[in-house]
Amino acid sequence: MEEVVIVGGGIAGLATAVALKKVGVRALVLERSEGLRDTGSALSLFPNAWHALDALGVSDKLTSLYTPFSKGYVTDVKTKAIQEVRYGASKGSGGEQRTVHRKMLLEVLAEELPPNTIRFCSKLTSIETQVEQGSSICILALEDGTVVKSKGSGAPVDSGRSAIRGVAVYPRGHGFNHEVQQFVDVSKRAGFIPLNDKEVYWFFACKAPPKGADIGGDPNLLLREVADNLAKDFPSVYLDIVGHSDLSTLTWAPLMFRYPWDVVLGNLTRANITVAGDAMHPMTPDLGQGGCLALEDAVVLGRHIGSSISKRGELETRHVGFALKSYVRERRWRAATLITASFLSGWVQQDGSSWWMKFLRDVVFYKFLLGRAVSASRYDCGKLC
């Protein structure tokens, strides 16, 4: 019998498995796909994520591969006005930001796990709790008939926006500075940042779903929709990057989030079952905090479950429920706050063309509020023990 079963081999799932390994708890990860997920291409990791990766003991494997960035620029597509955005600490201060390949992050986490910890092609059909020999256990039924035993809120809503993401490849090098470049227009926002000397991560967010969504996100149609329609008035440098896209990296997805009051007031744990990552706090990507919070969750959850280990080194199931409640109590308000901040950040940057919305975006948000929002990324979730 596994001590902990984790459903989902995404960032939160693998990071939690690593955290549990560090505190001496055996875990099994059930992943429905055939291999590590690579949806999303890349993501930015802010200081709070690096603190969590430090606690997990894997940050050095990534910092050696990716260059930090400290500033960026926001260009108004219509007026051509440019605003500089500072992201904070200088190199070596422990407050760096880096954009990494999502799959590389997953591979680094997976390498920390013992063989056979991840069971691929595992589709969950039911989950319930039972009492065996006086202890509450979790029973998971898989599509192939396998039954796994483990000791041991409101649904997300559509934000009304969607995003296309991809990675551009320049075999001979792109020559861009390592800075974030964003472009804003009425109901549209786009941007790019180099991953390394030859690859550039880019995104395009808009209100109306692109045509590619109607046929399941065909990459060729997605690319044409961005270049020939949605972003046709955007700067040529952005269109050139889109044109260099590796089609296999193109994805489209609606931007989902959970109402913050569902996180604050909802039941996020039951008996010996809880949620983490997107299962707890799906949010729009406007502050780049979804993956960062998932890594925080893993460390906090691992720390609380680790407190349920007896002096003999065994997980005491009667204490697990209390540990999970403590974990949820610690995470609720931070998750709800960042869900709200991310949603409002996207709304103010992408919504409306009136003069007061432009004033709110260009003067109030970029000059005064964005820095405060980014300061939330300085949070340190602490150590595992």
Side-chain angles (χ1 to χ4, degrees):
M1 183 185 296
E2 305 297 337
E3 290 185 302
V4 173
V5 174
I6 300 168
V7 180
I11 294 172
L14 295 185
T16 299
V18 174
L20 292 174
K21 175 197 168 188
K22 297 285 185 182
V23 298
V25 176
R26 297 190 309 275
L28 172 67
V29 180
L30 303 178
E31 169 56 39
R32 65 180 300 168
S33 65
E34 297 179 356
L36 294 176
R37 307 179 198 173
D38 55 5
T39 303
S41 302
L43 74 161
S44 292
L45 297 180
F46 288 83
N48 54 325
W50 293 108
H51 288 311
L53 290 168
D54 279 340
L56 296 174
V58 299
S59 61
D60 289 348
K61 294 183 178 181
L62 292 166
T63 55
S64 61
L65 300 176
Y66 299 98
T67 304
F69 62 89
S70 60
K71 68 177 180 178
Y73 299 91
V74 181
T75 301
D76 186 305
V77 173
K78 284 189 168 54
T79 67
K80 312 303 181 187
I82 300 175
Q83 300 232 26
E84 182 176 306
V85 178
R86 291 279 176 177
Y87 290 95
S90 60
K91 185 176 181 180
S93 67
E96 299 171 346
Q97 301 78 210
R98 289 175 170 85
T99 299
V100 307
H101 293 87
R102 182 179 293 269
K103 192 166 185 179
M104 179 61 70
L105 172 59
L106 295 179
E107 288 176 352
V108 164
L109 293 170
E111 287 171 358
E112 294 293 305
L113 300 173
N116 302 317
T117 297
I118 307 172
R119 183 182 295 177
F120 294 109
C121 300
S122 298
K123 297 183 180 180
L124 192 68
T125 59
S126 68
I127 180 171
E128 60 182 84
T129 56
Q130 294 181 4
V131 176
E132 286 190 7
Q133 299 178 344
S135 297
S136 177
I137 65 170
C138 181
I139 310 295
L140 301 100
L142 305 183
E143 189 177 61
D144 63 2
T146 302
V147 175
V148 180
K149 295 183 178 182
S150 169
K151 300 176 183 178
S153 69
V157 295
D158 195 329
S159 68
R161 297 186 293 140
S162 59
I164 304 170
R165 302 175 175 94
V167 173
V169 179
Y170 291 80
R172 297 183 179 180
H174 50 67
F176 296 119
N177 293 329
H178 205 78
E179 300 166 341
V180 182
Q181 293 284 350
Q182 294 191 69
F183 309 95
V184 294
D185 199 359
V186 179
S187 300
K188 301 175 183 177
R189 187 161 68 94
F192 68 85
I193 181 170
L195 283 162
N196 49 46
D197 292 340
K198 296 182 179 181
E199 294 177 293
V200 181
Y201 169 67
W202 64 268
F203 71 89
F204 189 94
C206 57
K207 274 195 168 183
K211 291 178 181 177
D214 298 334
I215 59 171
D218 177 89
N220 290 288
L221 183 55
L222 285 174
L223 196 64
R224 290 198 301 270
E225 179 71 358
V226 174
D228 299 339
N229 182 22
L230 296 172
K232 63 181 180 180
D233 297 323
F234 279 56
S236 58
V237 63
Y238 177 77
L239 295 176
D240 182 73
I241 289 172
V242 172
H244 278 80
S245 295
D246 175 353
L247 292 180
S248 69
T249 68
L250 292 183
T251 61
W252 166 85
L255 301 182
M256 310 294 288
F257 74 106
R258 174 159 284 133
Y259 289 127
W261 48 86
D262 282 341
V263 176
V264 173
L265 302 175
N267 185 12
L268 301 178
T269 183
R270 184 184 66 195
N272 56 352
I273 303 171
T274 192
V275 289
D278 283 348
M280 176 190 278
H281 45 66
M283 65 182 67
T284 60
D286 302 286
L287 291 179
Q289 281 296 304
C292 299
L293 254 66
L295 292 167
E296 287 183 21
D297 291 343
V299 174
V300 176
L301 183 54
R303 182 167 63 238
H304 282 289
I305 292 179
S307 68
S308 301
I309 298 177
S310 68
K311 293 181 180 179
R312 299 189 304 273
E314 298 176 352
L315 185 64
E316 297 187 354
T317 56
R318 67 181 185 276
H319 294 155
V320 170
F322 178 78
L324 298 185
K325 288 180 181 179
S326 299
Y327 152 74
V328 167
R329 191 181 307 118
E330 182 173 343
R331 299 303 293 162
R332 277 188 196 276
W333 282 101
R334 176 159 172 78
T337 299
L338 282 170
I339 288 173
T340 304
S342 294
F343 181 86
L344 293 177
S345 175
W347 172 74
V348 76
Q349 292 182 84
Q350 194 176 316
D351 202 22
S353 59
S354 60
W355 68 268
W356 67 270
M357 279 298 299
K358 291 183 177 180
F359 176 82
L360 183 63
R361 181 190 69 201
D362 297 338
V363 178
V364 179
F365 180 76
Y366 285 133
K367 290 187 177 180
F368 299 104
L369 298 183
L370 181 58
R372 291 180 177 271
V374 171
S375 67
S377 70
R378 307 291 168 202
Y379 178 83
D380 187 346
C381 61
K383 305 302 180 184
L384 279 169
C385 55

